[in-house]
Amino acid sequence: MTSSSFSRRGDIASFLAMDVMREANQLQQTGQNISHLEVGQPSTKAPRVVLDAARYAIDSELIGYTDALGLDDLRQALSAYYHTTYKVDVAPERFVITTGSSAGFILAFLACLDAGQRVAVTAPGYPAYTNIIQSLDLTPVTIALGQENNWTLTPDDLRDAEKTHGAIDALLIASPANPTGTMLSKQALTELSLDCAHAGRWFFSDEIYHGLTYAQEATSALQVGDHNRLIVMNSFSKYFSMTGWRIGWMIVPPQMVRVVERLQQNLFISAPTLSQYAACAALTQSAQDELQKHVELYRHNRDKLIACLQDKGLTDIAPADGAFYLYADLHSLSPSLESETFCAQLLKEAQIAITPGVDFDKNRGARFVRFSFARAANEIDLAVDRLNAFLGLLR
Ligand SMILES: Cc1ncc(COP(=O)(O)O)c(C=O)c1O
């Protein structure tokens, strides 16, 4: 069978960070000790109370399907969490429990957009956005961000993009962002979300890195936006340290709940039940106390890695105010460096896995690389020693 036998929709780019992880894991199996700075996943387990809740659920619950929208207890706990964390009142009925935020994107796009409609995303940005958009026969409109606009999007950028591409039907944005870690100020988020509401455009706010912030706390679009044009996606993967549990949530306008319920019933039936029971415990104070220690660890890792990179000449790094990534411009070290070659060499010669910038920005990513610092402190210390030796030879 040739590749032309398959659909155009399936012909999307691979998620390079995942490819690098596969290669790094293969090297690890041959006995090498690899520094895993390629994928954005915590090396910590889920909080203790979450593990206890999962064990208890296995012993005492059926673990059958749940209602398509999710367990009532979890939706109520999330509503209370928003009240405490963001001081916003969102009815539990508006929460939809999803199989990670990844499933949330699919549900939101299918619920709001028809084939061919345009979704604006940024470059650099999370690679799966564009790939999911394309696989659903939607049209991505990529808006370039860089040092020149402080790595953040404004309504003027949207207007400029519309002049070239035509009306934009939805905007998908994350703050803190992947791969930069850069955050939108409350003012900037307000302007963007209101601009979308005025233009009749959907505003999809990916808030997966909320909780992982080092300067100011992140604003939720729910605090500043028009709830009728706004979909918030979030997940237990990052701050809650539960990537493999495949559990997330979205908040949708009241009139959209039934649309998403029908889609979820048919596409996924419901999100993983064991993970839903466990996730209820992730929202308790005991879990939060444990998770706050992770944030301090990431801050330590971030500062250590930035100091190492800057000392060795990688001085252009996007402002990493949140998430757990550094997006660095290799040209600050040497204009002849190209990221895929650099990453391959770093893996082979220094046993450090990182991700080439082309994963996040097809056009300009060849000069950037992304470091993830979500690992234990001793792993980051080893990576820093290795980087010092490797980069020292390049200068
Ligand atoms: C910005 C962003 N959104 C969404 C996801 C998907 O996360 P999940 O499906 O585990 O919730 C990721 C994963 O790295 C991400 O970086």
Side-chain angles (χ1 to χ4, degrees):
M1 214 184 267
T2 64
S3 62
S4 60
S5 315
F6 299 109
S7 73
R8 193 175 44 77
R9 284 182 303 195
D11 190 18
I12 55 175
S14 70
F15 190 165
L16 263 185
M18 298 300 286
D19 283 352
V20 175
M21 183 172 86
R22 180 172 25 77
E23 200 183 332
N25 285 341
Q26 279 163 359
L27 285 176
Q28 193 146 320
Q29 274 161 17
T30 67
Q32 294 195 32
N33 174 7
I34 303 294
S35 296
H36 284 281
L37 274 55
E38 76 282 34
V39 172
Q41 77 168 336
S43 59
T44 42
K45 284 190 177 176
R48 197 182 42 76
V49 283
V50 171
L51 301 176
D52 289 345
R55 284 190 202 100
Y56 180 78
I58 287 179
D59 288 337
S60 58
E61 303 288 348
L62 174 66
I63 317 295
Y65 297 132
T66 67
D67 288 349
L69 295 171
L71 283 178
D72 277 346
D73 282 356
L74 181 54
R75 297 167 76 205
Q76 268 161 24
L78 280 165
S79 172
Y81 180 76
Y82 272 73
H83 182 79
T84 317
T85 312
Y86 301 108
K87 312 278 177 282
V88 283
D89 287 319
V90 187
E93 294 73 34
R94 290 177 58 197
F95 287 81
V96 181
I97 310 304
T98 57
T99 307
S101 63
S102 301
F105 299 132
I106 297 172
L107 292 168
F109 293 161
L110 289 175
C112 298
L113 301 164
D114 283 308
Q117 287 197 289
R118 297 184 192 93
V119 186
V121 292
T122 64
Y126 177 56
Y129 291 159
T130 306
N131 300 341
I132 297 172
I133 288 166
Q134 280 174 339
S135 72
L136 293 179
D137 248 339
L138 298 164
T139 309
V141 173
T142 306
I143 302 178
L145 299 181
Q147 222 164 19
E148 65 285 0
N149 45 11
N150 204 25
W151 303 94
T152 47
L153 189 76
T154 65
D156 283 345
D157 297 323
L158 284 170
R159 246 173 299 291
D160 287 348
E162 287 192 319
K163 279 186 203 138
T164 316
H165 300 278
I168 291 171
D169 303 290
L171 167 67
L172 170 56
I173 200 149
S175 169
N178 177 5
T180 55
T182 306
M183 289 170 67
L184 289 168
S185 67
K186 186 170 189 175
Q187 165 95 14
L189 187 71
T190 309
E191 285 169 12
L192 270 180
S193 56
L194 293 183
D195 187 74
C196 285
H198 289 149
R201 201 186 287 131
W202 288 105
F203 185 57
F204 300 134
S205 180
D206 178 357
E207 304 189 349
I208 189 170
Y209 291 106
H210 279 214
L212 299 175
T213 54
Y214 312 107
Q216 87 260 19
E217 286 185 3
T219 304
S220 170
L222 286 161
Q223 293 170 281
V224 296
D226 175 343
H227 285 213
N228 289 315
R229 295 307 282 180
L230 167 67
I231 320 273
V232 168
M233 287 89 170
N234 209 323
S235 172
F236 288 94
S237 288
K238 309 291 176 168
Y239 169 68
F240 296 92
S241 200
M242 293 173 68
T243 48
W245 297 71
R246 308 309 303 129
I247 185 85
W249 70 90
M250 55 199 248
I251 298 158
V252 305
Q255 66 279 15
M256 192 175 138
V257 173
R258 181 68 182 143
V259 183
V260 176
E261 183 176 28
R262 287 197 307 260
L263 285 164
Q264 173 103 296
Q265 288 169 341
N266 287 285
L267 291 177
F268 303 104
I269 298 191
S270 56
T273 302
L274 183 59
S275 303
Q276 294 195 51
Y277 282 115
C280 292
L283 300 166
T284 58
Q285 191 56 49
S286 163
Q288 298 302 307
D289 293 344
E290 196 175 327
L291 294 168
Q292 274 312 310
K293 296 192 190 121
H294 297 180
V295 182
E296 287 320 305
L297 164 71
Y298 300 146
R299 182 196 298 280
H300 168 88
N301 290 348
R302 179 191 77 144
D303 294 349
K304 188 137 197 200
L305 203 52
I306 290 178
C308 160
L309 296 178
Q310 288 192 329
D311 180 57
K312 291 291 171 229
L314 266 168
T315 47
D316 284 347
I317 302 172
D321 293 332
F324 34 48
Y325 307 110
L326 297 181
Y327 196 59
D329 185 350
L330 290 175
H331 284 197
S332 57
L333 187 61
S334 158
S336 63
L337 288 174
E338 189 279 326
S339 71
E340 282 192 271
T341 316
F342 179 86
C343 292
Q345 207 185 345
L346 193 66
L347 182 58
K348 189 159 168 255
E349 294 172 21
Q351 288 76 50
I352 301 175
I354 60 169
T355 306
V358 280
D359 208 16
F360 313 99
D361 184 346
K362 292 278 166 289
N363 293 329
R364 296 167 311 155
R367 55 190 278 183
F368 291 91
V369 289
R370 187 193 74 173
F371 297 83
S372 165
F373 52 81
R375 308 293 293 191
N378 62 342
E379 292 178 70
I380 297 296
D381 288 348
L382 175 63
V384 162
D385 288 346
R386 287 172 164 177
L387 273 170
N388 274 329
F390 180 85
L391 294 174
L393 291 176
L394 283 187
R395 292 188 97 184

